[in-house]
Amino acid sequence: MTDTPKQNNQKQRPAQKIESREQNRTACIDDKEFDIPQVDTPPTLESILNEPEDEEEPFVLEDTCLLNTENIDAHSCDTSSLASSDSGDPSHLKRKKKPVDLNVTVHGSVLRHSLLKGISAQIVSAATVSRVIAVGTSHGLALVFDSNQALRLCLGTTATGAEYGAVSALSINHDCSRLLCGFAKGQITMWDLANGKLLRTITDAHPPGTAILHVKFTDDPTLAVCNDSGGSVFELAFRRVMGMRSCDSRCLFSGSKGEVCCVEPLHTPPDLRDHAITHYSLLAMGSLTKILVIGLKPSLKVWMTFPYGKSDPSSVPQLAWQFVPVQKTVNPILAFCRGDTVQFLLVKKEETGTIHVIKQRQLHLSCDIISLSWINSRTMVLVDSHEKLQVVDRPSQEILETLDLDQVQLVYNSRHFKSLATGGNVSQALALVGEKACYQSVSSYAGQIVYLGTKSAHIMTLRNWRERVDCLLKQERFVEALSLAWSFHEGTAKAVLGLFGDPVKRKGVVADKMVEILFQFAERSLKKCPEQGKIQVLEQHFQEVVPVLVDYCLLLQRIDLLFNQLYGRLVENVVAKGVFLESLESYIIAERLGHLTTPIMRDLLAHYHGNGMMDSLENCIVHLDVTSLDIQQVVQVCWENQLYDAMIYVFNSGMNDYITPMEKLFAVIGPPLREGRTLTGKAEDFDSQISYCCLAGRAYPLGDIPEDLVAQVKNQVFEFLIRLHSADSSEEEEVFPFIRTLLHFDTREFLNVLALTFEDFKNDKQALEYQQRIVDILLKIMVDNPDFTPSQVGGLFTFLARQLAKPDNTLFVNRKLFDQVLEFLCSPDDESRHTERQQVSEKHTHTHCNGVEFAPEKLICEFLYEKKHLYDRIIDCYLRDPLRKEEIFSYIHNLLSMPGYTSEEKKTVWDKTLQHIQLLFTFLSCLLEPREGYHSGTVLTLEPELHELQVGLLCRFAPQQLQSFLQSSQQYRLEEAIQITKQYHHSEATAYLLERKGDAHGAFTVLLKVVQMNTHTDTGTAHIELDNIHNKLVEDSLTEIVSLCHRTSQNLNQKQREVLWFPLLEAMMAPQKLLKGPSAKHKSEALKELTMKVLNSMSGFIPLPAIIQRILQDPVYGKGKLAEIQGLILGMLETFNYEQTLLETTTSLLNHDLHWSLAHLRAAVTRGLHPRQDHCNICLQQYKRRQDSAEEIIIFSCGHLYHCQCLQQKDCGRGFSSERLQAWSCYKCSSNQGGRGSATEQGRGRSTSLAQVSIYLCLYMAPAPPPRDPSEDKRFKR
């Protein structure tokens, strides 16, 4: 089988068709590839190319040693090689050729795509790139080109190609002096690139019958690695001894442990040769399941393994190294992937000498990646299975550009992965991966990536910043070009080349380019302006251009360019001029543009005034620098068009005059307000304008008054407001016309601004005098004046209350006025501004009521009620205040017992108290509440009637507290309490009292009625939530009655227990036959569950046969089938089985523990004892003193040995009978312990187990017969 380049969205072809295409391809091989002449001087580019050069830019391969490090990432290195594959498939020629789709994003065109015509005209196969380009062909030849695409060397012969097969892998060392070629049949050759001499032919580096997939030089010129189609990796060590070249091969990874698809040694750039990581000669290997990072030096060691995770079995593993600056240090990062997720591993050397690997953030894409390359330390280039190239910025994970490589017609290496040249002896997994493998078709070096196609070679390089901008300009995409240039100016652009040096100089260079673009954009918009059509079309045309010009001129801070050159060019077109002037508004309001030249300002006024855009003109004026305005012209326009904001701004900021605009404005709003007419037009918004500029001493409509003028301005404004008459007053004018006008205009807003102004009056004596003066004027004008409504007067009182409530208040009002204010604040008839009045009244009363701190508004009501002797209403105040309810009793007691109150007042209070039954309940709750820490002798004894009254009140107002009260209190009478609870239908309390009385059956009857009522109650709906609430009610009542039955059954006989439990069982079983409707199933299951609860509870008191017999005799189930009671019986049997299993398990565990204890005790007692010496520890003679005597010996567990007679003499025993065997004690141990108690007595003082006690018992040994020979004597001693 052979390989074919993948097409977009193309499925795998059948194997039969692929084989037939291979046969056709072989017949169509171009023989010119074999006729490359062997010449001493390489041919020039012109002699090689078959067609003349067109206008496309010539390609020059860039040398890293000559490039600026700002243009090309110096850390880039040769990370991959290109090799040949089945490039002669004529099916590639049938592809639909379409131009590269340069989809421009906001980043512009990032990559420059060039065709290597000089190389493409001479090859049909593959290459690798360094400072030279090496091309391997499918016939075993290696062509070497220089940077001008001139052929320098042709390595190998067709005969060699016929023997070795196609070139499957290439690698050039770092100084471009050696070339390694791997072949499809497994051979490896090394060539000298200086003279084209063959240095080595390696045939035994790896097992025969496998193709070379990868061959890579390391940084050490004497060390390389290769990877074959068997999935194994081998190290190649080159030696030269006495002129003889040799190669030693060592297996690094066996394919039997998992086939490796790609290998990638870490190549260090020239400026980082001294990096600490270089001493380890790291190598990354990608297998089908994981990646491995190993060190070849100083000894072979695996530093890290990392699994891919879940991936498509046909996805191709990819590896790529790159040195990246991270936190001021440069360390290598390994990028790897298999599928759609790129992983990044930062590799660094620790101070201890170990390699530390840190996982970085992943990159997730929605495509299957078949090629992965670094183009610099921040940018990666990926190719997916649809041959779409994507440029990705690694830090931001943003896709910068996407290109279509369909016209490249990538060469795939699947023929070599399947090892077709050697018989195809590879695994199915490796062959499946090989369908997408294009390792040898992509090579990166020095910021450039070469892609090998079937008939051409292509190179991708990053464009410098000027190229990217110019590319957009050629397409007349000026807005995107300016946006891209601005990103270069601000340093936010990605994949930037060509900008280096001082940041200020870089910004200057980009700014000059942007100015050039602005001029081009303006010229183009004027030239391509629609000559005919509606005015809206022209406006739309310039609205797409002019705001962009203004925006970037302001960003570049080039006002001169905007107003002089660009405006001078746009003013030639009337529509462009109007759009330009209108576009300035948004920048002026945003305060990005604060100063206009005189011609621009003149044109602005004329254009806005002529088009009736008065609001926009006013917004512009109040945000512009006054020095750029023609004040006379602006004031005239503002006054004619009622632009009060602009007029105030000009007078205030331009002339420091704060009084003249106020006089003009009062002249406008005064007459209509005095006549009772409603203001119209601009005068409607006068309230906020005059509030700020007149009273607050702040600049209007924005900004602040200069600090040195603040005091002066405030004094001027207050002097103006408190004038008796205006300058042109008439005889009919009332006093203080300006304050009257403000009050009639908006009383509340005017008073609010006054309050804000008074906040600033701290230590200013003059201002405090103005404050008192204005308050006096307000009182004089508004109080008892029919021109003001009660609501307006109330607003004044609220304002005064706020001022008087301040701790540092200096205002003075008479007592009569103070009472009027207080009465207004507490008036219940006026609901307007209730919250505000309550807040003010709290502060007011707190400050002025003799220093007593009152909390809520109710305290003020008490204050007023007490003044009016309405003591009964004070009781309502106490009751409405939850924090002071309990204080009402003290208040009533003090009022009724203290002198100074009339009998009528006391009677009114007493009648009011009796009217409040809830008050009585509160009183009794406090009186009868149990207290902690009291002594029985000091408890107040109360009548039972009070307790019974409290029971009744609890039934009415707090039934949830009734049960706890009945349990804690013992002073009520049971019969009366039972009648009370029955009256209010509190069944649980009634049952508790009956049980306490001793009538358990009565209590059971009451609770049984509750259960029957709950179980027969139907919610009438299938609503699950309502059913759950009802079921919870039934369960609670059932729990209560089951608890009662448990407590009562302890003292009943069998018959009495049946009388108690069986009615409860019947109450639970009867409703189940009556259930109908959609919710019947849910309710039936709930009742069955509760019935099982009753059965489980009663099974402890009623025999199981009696329960079953009762169920079978029940009329509900007696006429039915067995299936109707099957659930109940099975539930009972299940409970029985569970309890039986539990009993058996418990018995088994107890027996096991008993057996274990007895076994250990027996083992301890029967264990043999070994004496420490062979003599008696008392007489110090051997235990066998005479051969013919039969002496008895005693050995203790401590190892001491004694004669029986010796122990008797020392009084350590009381005889030899078996009954007294345990009376012995060790003489030596007892002496050491200071006593001679028996072993049993010593054991009694110990806390030991049964097995341990046996250790302290002395053992009796029978007399030993005399030995007949020495051997028997030895056995006895052992």
Side-chain angles (χ1 to χ4, degrees):
M1 292 189 295
T2 183
D3 306 321
T4 59
K6 306 290 181 183
Q7 298 185 22
N8 292 338
N9 302 323
Q10 181 180 4
K11 297 182 180 179
Q12 299 292 335
R13 300 176 177 85
Q16 293 82 358
K17 293 183 179 181
I18 295 177
E19 292 176 356
S20 62
R21 187 178 297 113
E22 172 62 17
Q23 296 174 0
N24 295 334
R25 185 194 64 79
T26 306
C28 300
I29 291 178
D30 188 2
D31 292 337
K32 293 181 179 180
E33 187 179 25
F34 295 92
D35 297 334
I36 298 176
Q38 297 290 336
V39 294
D40 297 334
T41 304
T44 63
L45 177 64
E46 290 75 17
S47 63
I48 295 177
L49 298 180
N50 295 327
E51 58 183 21
E53 190 73 38
D54 57 14
E55 297 179 357
E56 186 172 335
E57 297 179 2
F59 166 74
V60 177
L61 190 66
E62 298 171 338
D63 193 336
T64 54
C65 62
L66 301 178
L67 294 178
N68 189 293
T69 56
E70 293 291 332
N71 295 336
I72 296 296
D73 183 11
H75 297 163
S76 297
C77 54
D78 179 14
T79 60
S80 183
S81 299
L82 298 167
S84 64
S85 184
D86 306 297
S87 56
D89 189 353
S91 63
H92 294 298
L93 302 176
K94 298 179 183 179
R95 291 189 180 188
K96 182 180 178 181
K97 294 186 177 180
K98 43 188 178 181
V100 177
D101 184 13
L102 297 176
N103 295 323
V104 180
T105 64
V106 292
H107 304 281
S109 179
V110 179
L111 288 181
R112 179 173 64 247
H113 181 188
S114 303
L115 174 66
L116 301 179
K117 291 186 176 181
I119 298 175
S120 301
Q122 304 175 70
I123 64 170
V124 276
S125 210
T128 186
V129 61
S130 182
R131 297 180 189 175
V132 296
I133 298 178
V135 177
T137 71
S138 59
H139 298 284
L141 302 179
L143 309 180
V144 181
F145 298 84
D146 61 13
S147 59
N148 294 319
Q149 304 183 58
L151 181 63
R152 286 179 49 193
L153 296 170
C154 177
L155 306 177
T157 63
T158 55
T160 304
E163 180 183 357
Y164 294 167
V167 176
S168 59
L170 292 171
S171 179
I172 301 174
N173 63 356
H174 64 86
D175 60 357
C176 295
S177 61
R178 298 288 187 269
L179 172 68
L180 278 176
C181 298
F183 293 90
K185 295 184 179 180
Q187 294 83 0
I188 301 174
T189 59
M190 177 185 287
W191 300 85
D192 189 339
L193 292 180
N195 51 27
K197 181 180 178 181
L198 177 63
L199 301 180
R200 290 181 176 86
T201 299
I202 306 169
T203 59
D204 57 352
H206 65 101
T210 55
I212 297 296
L213 301 182
H214 302 275
V215 60
K216 304 277 187 178
F217 271 112
T218 65
D219 282 343
D220 185 352
T222 66
L223 200 63
V225 293
C226 69
N227 174 209
D228 62 13
S229 59
S232 300
V233 181
F234 296 88
E235 176 189 77
L236 306 178
F238 306 115
R239 301 285 186 268
R240 185 175 182 180
V241 181
M242 300 181 67
M244 297 296 293
R245 289 186 171 90
S246 62
C247 176
D248 298 331
S249 174
R250 177 175 63 159
C251 182
L252 302 178
F253 188 88
S254 175
S256 60
K257 299 179 181 179
E259 293 152 313
V260 172
C261 301
C262 59
V263 294
E264 199 64 50
L266 174 62
H267 291 286
T268 309
D271 57 336
L272 294 175
R273 293 297 183 191
D274 296 332
H275 196 284
I277 206 76
T278 59
H279 304 295
Y280 294 90
S281 189
L282 295 182
L283 173 67
M285 300 183 295
S287 71
L288 296 177
T289 58
K290 60 187 175 183
I291 67 150
L292 299 92
V293 177
I294 66 174
L296 302 179
K297 296 181 179 180
S299 60
L300 184 63
K301 183 174 182 179
V302 178
W303 288 109
M304 187 272 301
T305 60
F306 197 93
Y308 298 117
K310 294 183 179 180
S311 61
D312 188 350
S314 64
S315 298
V316 185
Q318 296 291 329
L319 298 171
W321 287 99
Q322 178 67 33
F323 277 85
V324 177
V326 179
Q327 298 179 351
K328 299 182 181 181
T329 60
V330 179
N331 284 301
I333 283 184
L334 175 63
F336 68 94
C337 69
R338 188 184 184 193
D340 59 355
T341 302
V342 183
Q343 310 266 9
F344 297 94
L345 299 177
L346 175 64
V347 182
K348 58 189 298 187
K349 179 185 176 183
E350 300 289 348
E351 296 180 356
T352 58
T354 60
I355 300 296
H356 186 48
V357 180
I358 304 172
K359 186 179 179 181
Q360 306 291 298
R361 186 171 59 159
Q362 299 177 352
L363 171 62
H364 296 278
L365 300 172
S366 58
C367 57
D368 186 14
I369 301 170
I370 63 172
S371 176
L372 175 67
S373 305
W374 293 88
I375 201 165
N376 63 24
S377 61
R378 299 175 60 90
T379 312
M380 303 193 72
V381 178
L382 313 173
V383 180
D384 62 20
S385 57
H386 299 296
E387 294 187 4
K388 298 289 185 182
L389 181 145
Q390 299 183 33
V391 184
V392 181
D393 181 67
R394 190 191 73 85
S396 64
Q397 299 194 353
E398 186 175 359
I399 298 177
L400 307 182
E401 186 178 12
T402 302
L403 299 176
D404 191 351
L405 297 184
D406 185 54
Q407 68 171 0
V408 175
Q409 300 185 12
L410 274 176
V411 173
Y412 289 82
N413 314 128
S414 54
R415 180 181 178 88
H416 306 312
F417 270 77
K418 297 175 183 178
S419 192
L420 297 182
T422 59
N425 52 338
V426 298
S427 67
Q428 293 181 356
L430 192 63
L432 181 61
V433 170
E435 293 293 334
K436 300 178 183 179
C438 58
Y439 294 110
Q440 307 303 326
S441 305
V442 183
S443 181
S444 63
Y445 177 76
Q448 303 162 106
I449 303 177
V450 176
Y451 292 92
L452 177 68
T454 56
K455 296 296 182 181
S456 59
H458 301 256
I459 189 165
M460 301 289 181
T461 57
L462 286 178
R463 298 180 185 270
N464 63 37
W465 73 275
R466 285 185 182 275
E467 286 184 87
R468 291 169 64 178
V469 174
D470 291 340
C471 183
L472 295 174
L473 293 177
K474 289 178 182 179
Q475 304 174 44
E476 294 189 347
R477 297 161 66 177
F478 293 95
V479 177
E480 295 182 18
L482 286 169
S483 176
L484 179 61
W486 180 249
S487 66
F488 290 133
H489 185 276
E490 294 299 299
T492 59
K494 308 293 191 302
V496 182
L497 288 183
L499 285 177
F500 50 88
D502 183 74
V504 178
K505 293 182 180 179
R506 291 204 301 265
K507 287 190 174 184
V509 172
V510 178
D512 293 341
K513 182 65 176 179
M514 293 184 69
V515 171
E516 178 185 339
I517 299 173
L518 291 172
F519 278 119
Q520 294 180 19
F521 195 18
E523 292 296 331
R524 181 254 188 191
S525 64
L526 291 172
K527 290 180 181 179
K528 294 193 175 184
C529 176
E531 297 180 357
Q532 298 178 353
K534 297 181 180 180
I535 190 68
Q536 291 84 353
V537 177
L538 293 174
E539 290 179 350
Q540 179 65 29
H541 171 74
F542 286 109
Q543 283 173 358
E544 295 175 355
V545 178
V546 174
V548 177
L549 300 177
V550 176
D551 191 54
Y552 282 105
C553 285
L554 295 179
L555 287 174
L556 293 172
Q557 300 180 1
R558 293 294 302 274
I559 305 298
D560 57 332
L561 173 67
L562 177 65
F563 289 154
N564 297 334
Q565 297 167 309
L566 291 178
Y567 181 68
R569 188 73 182 87
L570 294 173
V571 78
E572 299 174 2
N573 189 298
V574 178
V575 178
K577 176 183 177 182
V579 173
F580 179 87
L581 294 174
E582 292 176 11
S583 65
L584 296 180
E585 179 187 357
S586 60
Y587 299 100
I588 294 173
I589 294 176
E591 298 185 353
R592 293 182 59 187
L593 183 61
H595 183 82
L596 300 180
T597 61
T598 302
I600 298 291
M601 189 66 211
R602 183 173 58 250
D603 293 346
L604 185 74
L605 284 173
H607 177 79
Y608 279 60
H609 187 267
N611 290 276
M613 303 169 61
M614 291 297 103
D615 291 338
S616 298
L617 178 60
E618 186 175 34
N619 288 336
C620 291
I621 291 175
V622 299
H623 287 86
L624 285 172
D625 185 2
V626 180
T627 58
S628 65
L629 304 177
D630 184 346
I631 294 180
Q632 183 177 358
Q633 180 187 11
V634 172
V635 170
Q636 182 180 357
V637 172
C638 293
W639 187 252
E640 291 175 354
N641 297 276
Q642 298 182 353
L643 306 181
Y644 299 127
D645 283 5
M647 184 183 67
I648 294 173
Y649 174 74
V650 172
F651 272 95
N652 292 356
S653 302
M655 298 177 284
N656 288 333
D657 184 356
Y658 295 85
I659 303 302
T660 301
M662 293 169 57
E663 292 177 342
K664 292 180 176 293
L665 291 173
F666 275 110
V668 172
I669 67 171
L673 287 176
R674 285 194 294 271
E675 296 172 6
R677 291 187 283 116
T678 304
L679 295 178
T680 59
K682 292 281 186 176
E684 286 183 303
D685 300 328
F686 174 69
D687 58 335
S688 61
Q689 302 168 11
I690 200 65
S691 298
Y692 282 104
C693 70
C694 293
L695 302 175
R698 300 182 179 92
Y700 180 83
L702 49 86
D704 295 318
I705 299 174
E707 293 184 3
D708 55 338
L709 298 177
V710 172
Q712 177 184 347
V713 170
K714 285 188 177 181
N715 293 336
Q716 290 177 0
V717 172
F718 276 107
E719 287 289 347
F720 171 77
L721 289 178
I722 63 178
R723 289 180 185 177
L724 283 175
H725 295 283
S726 60
D728 52 350
S729 62
S730 61
E731 295 181 358
E732 293 82 8
E733 184 181 74
E734 296 179 310
V735 294
F736 308 113
F738 302 125
I739 292 182
R740 286 179 183 273
T741 300
L742 293 173
L743 290 172
H744 282 298
F745 184 82
D746 192 335
T747 304
R748 183 177 181 181
E749 186 65 25
F750 174 62
L751 294 175
N752 285 340
V753 174
L754 274 180
L756 293 174
T757 307
F758 290 169
E759 290 291 337
D760 299 333
F761 296 167
K762 300 299 182 183
N763 300 318
D764 190 345
K765 182 178 180 181
Q766 181 67 33
L768 293 176
E769 293 177 359
Y770 283 129
Q771 179 181 356
Q772 182 67 48
R773 176 64 175 155
I774 287 182
V775 170
D776 294 340
I777 293 172
L778 291 174
L779 294 173
K780 182 177 181 180
I781 292 175
M782 296 186 69
V783 177
D784 299 329
N785 189 340
D787 292 342
F788 295 95
T789 64
S791 177
Q792 290 175 310
V793 177
L796 172 63
F797 286 163
T798 303
F799 164 76
L800 289 177
R802 287 184 181 276
Q803 303 305 314
L804 295 173
K806 293 181 180 178
D808 54 351
N809 170 53
T810 58
L811 290 177
F812 171 77
V813 293
N814 57 46
R815 182 67 184 181
K816 179 180 179 181
L817 179 63
F818 174 78
D819 291 340
Q820 289 180 351
V821 172
L822 193 60
E823 187 171 0
F824 163 75
L825 294 175
C826 300
S827 174
D829 300 327
D830 186 6
E831 296 296 334
S832 62
R833 302 168 67 184
H834 174 75
T835 303
E836 182 179 357
R837 290 190 297 109
Q838 181 173 347
Q839 294 174 354
V840 174
S841 61
E842 292 174 10
K843 296 181 181 178
H844 184 59
T845 310
H846 170 66
T847 306
H848 294 277
C849 293
N850 298 325
V852 179
E853 183 177 358
F854 295 93
E857 185 184 14
K858 306 174 186 64
L859 299 177
I860 303 169
C861 295
E862 295 176 25
F863 174 75
L864 296 176
Y865 290 150
E866 189 169 359
K867 289 185 60 177
K868 297 180 180 181
H869 304 285
L870 301 175
Y871 301 108
D872 55 330
R873 295 191 180 183
I874 297 179
I875 295 178
D876 294 328
C877 295
Y878 272 98
L879 290 176
R880 286 195 295 266
D881 189 348
L883 299 178
R884 300 190 304 144
K885 270 187 177 182
E886 298 181 359
E887 299 178 10
I888 188 173
F889 305 113
S890 300
Y891 171 76
I892 296 173
H893 177 268
N894 293 335
L895 190 142
L896 295 177
S897 60
M898 293 177 60
Y901 300 95
T902 65
S903 57
E904 294 181 358
E905 293 171 346
K906 293 183 178 181
K907 185 177 185 305
T908 303
V909 171
W910 179 252
D911 294 340
K912 184 74 172 181
T913 305
L914 295 180
Q915 292 175 5
H916 288 278
I917 188 65
Q918 192 171 1
L919 178 62
L920 179 61
F921 171 59
T922 306
F923 173 74
L924 289 176
S925 297
C926 297
L927 184 64
L928 302 178
E929 181 181 1
R931 307 288 181 177
E932 295 182 0
Y934 63 81
H935 300 284
S936 59
T938 61
V939 176
L940 180 63
T941 303
L942 301 175
E943 296 294 332
E945 289 80 1
L946 286 178
H947 291 268
E948 294 157 9
L949 179 60
Q950 179 67 359
V951 171
L953 293 175
L954 284 171
C955 292
R956 294 178 58 186
F957 300 110
Q960 66 277 4
Q961 303 176 12
L962 176 60
Q963 193 80 5
S964 61
F965 176 78
L966 292 175
Q967 294 173 0
S968 60
S969 176
Q970 304 293 333
Q971 301 185 31
Y972 55 84
R973 294 168 294 184
L974 285 177
E975 290 294 340
E976 285 72 9
I978 292 172
Q979 295 301 323
I980 295 172
T981 54
K982 286 184 178 180
Q983 178 184 354
Y984 292 104
H985 306 290
H986 287 283
S987 303
E988 291 81 1
T990 304
Y992 169 76
L993 293 174
L994 287 173
E995 183 182 5
R996 184 174 171 184
K997 180 183 175 183
D999 187 3
H1001 190 269
F1004 174 79
T1005 304
V1006 171
L1007 293 179
L1008 183 62
K1009 290 181 180 179
V1010 175
V1011 172
Q1012 291 174 341
M1013 180 180 64
N1014 291 336
T1015 53
H1016 285 79
T1017 301
D1018 192 350
T1019 59
T1021 178
H1023 197 282
I1024 299 300
E1025 187 172 347
L1026 294 178
D1027 285 345
N1028 291 337
I1029 296 175
H1030 178 257
N1031 293 339
K1032 183 67 169 59
L1033 188 63
V1034 174
E1035 185 177 359
D1036 292 342
S1037 60
L1038 183 63
T1039 303
E1040 187 76 21
I1041 193 171
V1042 167
S1043 300
L1044 174 64
C1045 292
H1046 269 285
R1047 294 192 299 269
T1048 308
S1049 297
Q1050 305 291 340
N1051 303 319
L1052 300 179
N1053 56 34
Q1054 185 63 34
K1055 186 175 181 179
Q1056 292 173 333
R1057 292 176 181 177
E1058 293 179 358
V1059 172
L1060 193 66
W1061 283 99
F1062 283 145
L1064 177 59
L1065 180 61
E1066 293 173 1
M1068 295 304 301
M1069 294 170 58
Q1072 299 181 32
K1073 297 289 288 184
L1074 304 177
L1075 290 176
K1076 296 180 181 180
S1079 61
K1081 182 178 180 181
H1082 177 71
K1083 296 177 181 178
S1084 177
E1085 292 177 355
L1087 286 175
K1088 286 181 180 179
E1089 183 178 351
L1090 295 177
T1091 304
M1092 287 304 305
K1093 181 178 179 180
V1094 174
L1095 289 172
N1096 292 334
S1097 299
M1098 66 187 298
S1099 61
F1101 303 97
I1102 307 297
L1104 190 59
I1107 298 176
I1108 296 177
Q1109 182 179 4
R1110 182 71 177 193
I1111 293 175
L1112 295 176
Q1113 292 176 355
D1114 192 277
V1116 175
Y1117 297 100
K1119 299 178 181 180
K1121 298 179 181 179
L1122 182 61
E1124 298 180 4
I1125 61 172
Q1126 182 180 6
L1128 297 176
I1129 296 176
L1130 289 179
M1132 296 168 59
L1133 293 176
E1134 183 179 357
T1135 303
F1136 169 76
N1137 291 333
Y1138 169 75
E1139 293 179 351
Q1140 183 181 16
T1141 303
L1142 186 64
L1143 178 62
E1144 292 175 354
T1145 304
T1146 306
T1147 305
S1148 175
L1149 291 175
L1150 290 175
N1151 292 338
H1152 177 76
D1153 288 348
L1154 180 60
H1155 175 269
W1156 182 88
S1157 300
L1158 292 175
H1160 279 68
L1161 179 61
R1162 181 178 179 277
V1165 172
T1166 58
R1167 183 177 55 191
L1169 299 180
H1170 177 69
R1172 296 181 181 180
Q1173 301 91 9
D1174 60 350
H1175 57 268
C1176 176
N1177 282 276
I1178 296 178
C1179 65
L1180 300 181
Q1181 296 182 13
Q1182 288 189 355
Y1183 67 91
K1184 188 64 175 176
R1185 288 181 288 193
R1186 293 185 299 274
Q1187 295 293 331
D1188 55 350
S1189 65
E1191 292 185 322
E1192 295 184 2
I1193 310 166
I1194 298 212
I1195 302 175
F1196 292 91
S1197 58
C1198 56
H1200 295 143
L1201 182 147
Y1202 303 96
H1203 295 108
C1204 253
Q1205 296 178 356
C1206 296
L1207 283 177
Q1208 285 179 339
Q1209 294 174 1
K1210 295 296 183 180
D1211 196 17
C1212 290
R1214 295 194 298 269
F1216 295 95
S1217 63
S1218 59
E1219 293 82 0
R1220 299 179 181 180
L1221 182 62
Q1222 295 183 356
W1224 297 108
S1225 63
C1226 178
Y1227 170 76
K1228 191 170 185 179
C1229 294
S1230 301
S1231 301
N1232 293 336
Q1233 294 173 2
R1236 297 180 180 178
S1238 65
T1240 304
E1241 293 173 352
Q1242 294 175 14
R1244 291 173 182 171
R1246 302 175 183 266
S1247 176
T1248 57
S1249 66
L1250 184 61
Q1252 291 172 325
V1253 171
S1254 63
I1255 298 175
Y1256 301 97
L1257 297 178
C1258 62
L1259 300 180
Y1260 174 78
M1261 180 178 291
R1268 287 175 291 181
D1269 53 51
S1271 62
E1272 292 182 3
D1273 188 24
K1274 292 178 182 179
R1275 284 197 301 270
F1276 175 76
K1277 290 181 180 180
R1278 284 196 299 268

